[in-house]
Amino acid sequence: MTFTTPYGARYKHLQNMLEQPHLLIAGTTGAGKSTLINALMYTALFQSPNDVRFVLIDPKGNELIDYVDLPHTERHCHSFESIEKTLADCVALMDKRYKLMRARREKIYSETDFYIVIDEYNFIKFRCSKRTETNVKTLAMQGRAAKIHLIIATQRPTSDVIDGCIKSCLPSRVCLRTATRQESKNVLDCFGAEALPRYGEAYYQTPDTMMKPTLCSVPYYSQEEIDKQVNFWLAQMQTKSA
């Protein structure tokens, strides 16, 4: 995706996060994970609306509801059954894309970026079936070339949630304030996130900045701004169907 507007220049780290194969977002309750997810989705819609689709895994059922009716949102799910089925279907989509790539002799899928946004990954880890966790890890390991990207958020960045497979497959991570030094180390492999301000700042780490995460701001978009963006795309959808 290409970002060329002044908005992209203002928050270049958001652009960079969306360009990563996958992204892990961690932090204590109320630190701003949902705010950052909103900023990423807002940015993707603002910059590349024709080249992005979302699947929203929302265990609480109310964190990602602003985007439910968008034409870009393929699914919004929150029940055990719907989450398990949706992630299985995402693996099937990935396999279908690889089949198309082989037929076209492509190394990288040439069409739409597909973002699977998972809020509260710890819910999947401990309350969904083992097969569902396996599907998440399959997407993390194999989704990159198929342009299937995971954005995984958790308020419980403990070693049993962020295990070795997740850490190795999601080397790009955003760590907001953590409750303990150990949680900071679990996410970033270094201390520091436990001392961040309550809101507004995070450490951002990519494979290029291992052990030297970058301090960045987490932009806040008001409900009014989000509604304006969503209503614009709903109006566009209605215009096309008229």
Side-chain angles (χ1 to χ4, degrees):
M1 293 187 288
T2 302
F3 296 78
T4 57
T5 69
Y7 177 93
R10 184 183 177 193
Y11 292 120
K12 273 196 166 183
H13 53 281
L14 294 179
Q15 166 191 345
N16 191 273
M17 290 174 193
L18 287 168
E19 291 173 348
Q20 300 304 313
H22 308 295
L23 187 69
L24 175 67
I25 301 171
T28 190
T29 302
K33 297 181 299 297
S34 295
T35 299
L36 178 56
I37 289 173
N38 271 307
L40 289 167
M41 294 183 66
Y42 188 101
T43 301
L45 287 168
F46 189 88
Q47 301 288 356
S48 303
N50 297 319
D51 299 315
V52 62
R53 293 293 182 273
F54 299 113
V55 161
L56 308 179
I57 309 294
D58 186 7
K60 293 179 183 177
N62 63 349
E63 291 292 344
L64 303 172
I65 55 175
D66 293 318
Y67 306 98
V68 170
D69 295 326
L70 283 176
H72 311 78
T73 299
E74 300 285 340
R75 294 190 198 177
H76 172 263
C77 52
H78 53 86
S79 68
F80 290 121
E81 295 80 4
S82 62
I83 289 172
E84 292 179 352
K85 183 179 187 309
T86 294
L87 287 170
D89 289 345
C90 288
V91 172
L93 172 66
M94 181 185 71
D95 292 340
K96 180 180 179 181
R97 286 190 168 193
Y98 273 111
K99 183 177 180 180
L100 284 169
M101 289 162 62
R102 288 191 294 271
R104 298 170 180 171
R105 298 185 178 274
E106 292 178 345
K107 298 290 186 182
I108 303 293
Y109 189 68
S110 58
E111 298 179 37
T112 306
D113 285 279
F114 196 87
Y115 288 93
I116 304 168
V117 182
I118 303 176
D119 193 32
E120 301 300 353
Y121 175 67
N122 42 287
F123 177 94
I124 289 174
K125 179 80 174 180
F126 297 117
R127 300 189 66 182
C128 290
S129 68
K130 188 68 176 178
R131 181 62 185 167
T132 302
E133 180 189 354
T134 299
N135 283 336
V136 172
K137 292 180 177 179
T138 299
L139 291 163
M141 289 185 287
Q142 301 179 14
R144 177 177 185 170
K147 285 190 179 179
I148 295 178
H149 312 282
L150 290 171
I151 297 177
I152 294 178
T154 181
Q155 66 177 351
R156 185 176 167 181
T158 51
S159 58
D160 56 345
V161 175
I162 305 175
D163 59 25
C165 180
I166 290 295
K167 289 191 74 169
S168 63
C169 293
L170 282 78
S172 298
R173 305 167 199 154
V174 183
C175 193
L176 298 107
R177 182 175 179 173
T178 58
T180 66
R181 283 164 54 88
Q182 184 57 48
E183 288 182 350
S184 175
K185 188 172 178 62
N186 289 341
V187 180
L188 300 172
D189 296 317
C190 62
F191 302 124
E194 75 284 353
L196 285 171
R198 178 73 175 169
Y199 308 108
E201 292 187 4
Y203 283 113
Y204 176 41
Q205 180 184 74
T206 70
D208 296 328
T209 60
M210 285 295 182
M211 302 308 294
K212 290 186 178 181
T214 303
L215 187 65
C216 65
S217 62
V218 179
Y220 171 77
Y221 297 99
S222 67
Q223 190 64 48
E224 182 181 1
E225 289 176 291
I226 293 171
D227 288 346
K228 183 177 179 180
Q229 177 79 328
V230 169
N231 288 335
F232 171 80
W233 285 111
L234 289 175
Q236 292 291 104
M237 180 174 64
Q238 291 168 357
T239 300
K240 289 179 180 178
S241 63

